Amino acid sequence: IAGGKGIAIGLLVKASEVFHGLSIVNTLVFDKTGTLTYGRPTVTDLVPIGSDRLELLKVAGAVEAPSEHPLGQAIRFFAEREEVNSAAVEQFRAWPGKGVSGTVQGAEVFAGKPSFIEERGVTFTQDVRTQIDQLNDAGKTVVVIVRGGMLVGLVALQDTPRPGTKRLIEKLRERELRTVMLTGDARRVAEAIGTTLGVNEIHAELLPPEKVAAIETMQREGRKVAMVGDGINDAPALAQADVGIAIGAGTDVAIESAGIILIGDRPDDVLNALTLGKASYRTLTGNVIVAVLLNIVGMLFAAFGYVTPLFAVLFMVVSIFAILLNTLRLRWMKLEREAVPESAALAEREFLIPNMVCEDCATKIQQSLQAVPGVRDVKSKVAQKHVRVTYEPAKIPAERLKEVIGQAGFTALEA
């Protein structure tokens, strides 16, 4: 019954024992990128160092082209939108939680967080450190680009919290649940987001094994931990937590590691999972108590000789219906479905459309998207082969936008 109720509201529970885990959770751990935030960062600043803006974007776009990380995809898309012809990358390698590397035009290129670049033996001047600190203080993530052991420049990106996440954190606090953010981002960036949302604890600059270690530490302290995440970096932590909760739009690895999958991406679904878990376990406990009490009453009647065949049948039917009706209460349970304020209800998604070659193509794409409920605005730039869609995440999932463009006969590449 509880599993069916979960599916009806967008929660896929893999096993019944997960409900017990949810009922005893007292600490909620969140990944930042793609979970508390949209995970769709955009490039805000380019800071060339020893090169010009075009060269920085060319090198950054090349080495990040094969990357599946949201930061890498954002840099690649920005380079494409600026019509920068990036060279091909060879020997590409992703360093989980750190950055990427590859060979571009015969030179070894690294792109990643400042600490990762310093591990490669690159030394930052005081001026470069000051620029990185200023960008981090503004809540931006800094990706350092290095070619042949020399700094090429800095790329700054910024993400925004999902609508409703702050309200979710407030409701969890009202239930006396502790909230924790685990992220690989720079501390200043993490603190800017965490402080805005009201998270109790913020752990930044963590690699995937360090996220696992952080959860193990909480468990040794006696906490019952639920982890919410969406990326490959979150998979080990999801598996380590008492309950793993994966965002449905996340990676297959994260979904496989979790016990619960949120089919949508509404923040209040996390609260619904906790509510349903506690209600399910409470109902199970109540059913056991009712069954035991009825059996005791039945045995007492039998001991005093009051049990006839008809009485036994009726008594058994009553006990079964009592338990069934108690369980069916889960079907009529009211769960959170808070309306997102109009000012915070919109999100943007950008696409590169390689085969959008004329204004008629752009018009066809606009008409197809605008016919979908939840799409507010579509802006196209034919010269850049770029489409920006403003939509309501509560009404239409982001993946649906890509499908609509495909159905119109065009190829959509996400930023």
Side-chain angles (χ1 to χ4, degrees), residues 257-338:
S257 303
I260 297 176
I261 301 169
L262 305 183
I263 298 174
D265 60 357
R266 293 175 61 96
D268 53 18
D269 284 341
V270 175
L271 194 63
N272 287 337
L274 290 172
T275 302
L276 187 59
K278 291 181 183 296
S280 176
Y281 188 69
R282 187 169 57 245
T283 300
L284 175 62
T285 303
N287 286 344
V288 171
I289 293 173
V290 169
V292 170
L293 288 176
L294 288 174
N295 281 333
I296 292 174
V297 171
M299 286 187 291
L300 289 175
F301 274 110
F304 287 101
Y306 295 130
V307 178
T308 64
L310 179 60
F311 179 86
V313 171
L314 291 175
F315 193 83
M316 183 59 67
V317 170
V318 169
S319 65
I320 291 173
F321 269 93
I323 293 172
L324 180 60
L325 290 174
N326 187 47
T327 304
L328 285 174
R329 288 190 306 125
L330 292 173
R331 284 188 174 273
W332 299 295
M333 229 177 90
K334 289 186 178 181
L335 297 173
E336 298 283 342
R337 223 30 161 190
E338 183 175 334

Side-chain angles (χ1 to χ4, degrees), residues 67-349:
S67 176
E68 295 182 357
H69 193 279
L71 295 178
Q73 291 177 348
I75 293 173
R76 181 200 69 200
F77 181 78
F78 188 80
E80 292 171 345
R81 191 174 66 181
E82 294 292 309
E83 297 184 312
V84 174
N85 295 320
S86 300
V89 60
E90 300 175 349
Q91 299 178 332
F92 174 81
R93 178 180 176 183
W95 302 71
K98 295 183 177 182
V100 299
S101 63
T103 302
V104 179
Q105 294 181 329
E108 189 175 31
V109 176
F110 288 90
K113 59 175 59 176
S115 59
F116 171 59
I117 299 303
E118 287 181 309
E119 290 174 5
R120 303 298 102 192
V122 178
T123 302
F124 298 150
T125 64
Q126 186 57 46
D127 182 53
V128 171
R129 290 186 183 279
T130 300
Q131 290 178 309
I132 292 174
D133 290 342
Q134 290 175 344
L135 292 168
N136 284 336
D137 288 340
K140 299 176 182 179
T141 299
V142 178
V143 176
V144 183
I145 311 297
V146 172
R147 179 178 57 187
M150 302 295 293
L151 275 174
V152 179
L154 312 175
V155 180
L157 306 95
Q158 195 166 35
D159 202 357
T160 54
R162 291 179 183 272
T165 50
K166 185 174 183 179
R167 181 59 182 153
L168 168 64
I169 300 299
E170 290 173 354
K171 289 183 177 180
L172 292 174
R173 189 184 299 116
E174 290 171 1
R175 297 190 181 196
E176 299 183 349
L177 296 172
R178 192 157 186 82
T179 55
V180 181
M181 177 197 292
L182 301 183
T183 178
D185 286 352
R187 179 162 300 280
R188 289 186 181 89
V189 176
E191 288 176 347
I193 296 292
T195 302
T196 300
L197 297 178
V199 178
N200 296 121
E201 298 177 32
I202 301 170
H203 301 268
E205 301 177 359
L206 300 181
L207 299 176
E210 292 172 332
K211 290 184 179 182
V212 175
I215 291 178
E216 289 176 338
T217 300
M218 296 177 207
Q219 291 171 327
R220 284 195 296 268
E221 294 171 353
R223 300 199 227 176
K224 300 300 180 182
V225 180
M227 168 74 186
V228 186
D230 75 315
I232 294 176
N233 292 347
D234 304 322
L238 288 168
Q240 176 61 39
D242 296 288
V243 179
I245 303 175
I247 304 295
T251 63
D252 292 340
V253 176
I255 291 173
E256 184 65 27
S257 303
I260 297 176
I261 301 169
L262 305 183
I263 298 174
D265 60 357
R266 293 175 61 96
D268 53 18
D269 284 341
V270 175
L271 194 63
N272 287 337
L274 290 172
T275 302
L276 187 59
K278 291 181 183 296
S280 176
Y281 188 69
R282 187 169 57 245
T283 300
L284 175 62
T285 303
N287 286 344
V288 171
I289 293 173
V290 169
V292 170
L293 288 176
L294 288 174
N295 281 333
I296 292 174
V297 171
M299 286 187 291
L300 289 175
F301 274 110
F304 287 101
Y306 295 130
V307 178
T308 64
L310 179 60
F311 179 86
V313 171
L314 291 175
F315 193 83
M316 183 59 67
V317 170
V318 169
S319 65
I320 291 173
F321 269 93
I323 293 172
L324 180 60
L325 290 174
N326 187 47
T327 304
L328 285 174
R329 288 190 306 125
L330 292 173
R331 284 188 174 273
W332 299 295
M333 229 177 90
K334 289 186 178 181
L335 297 173
E336 298 283 342
R337 223 30 161 190
E338 183 175 334
V340 182
E342 186 69 16
S343 59
L346 302 182
E348 285 188 348
R349 183 62 63 96

Side-chain angles (χ1 to χ4, degrees), residues 339-393:
V340 182
E342 186 69 16
S343 59
L346 302 182
E348 285 188 348
R349 183 62 63 96
E350 297 180 336
F351 298 97
L352 183 69
I353 316 292
N355 53 343
M356 184 176 70
V357 296
C358 61
E359 289 296 336
D360 287 341
C361 297
T363 301
K364 185 176 180 180
I365 292 173
Q366 288 176 336
Q367 291 175 344
S368 298
L369 288 169
Q370 288 171 344
V372 178
V375 173
R376 291 294 192 86
D377 187 36
V378 181
K379 294 182 179 178
S380 303
K381 295 181 180 179
V382 177
Q384 288 80 21
K385 301 183 184 299
H386 172 259
V387 173
R388 175 177 294 175
V389 185
T390 303
Y391 67 103
E392 298 176 62

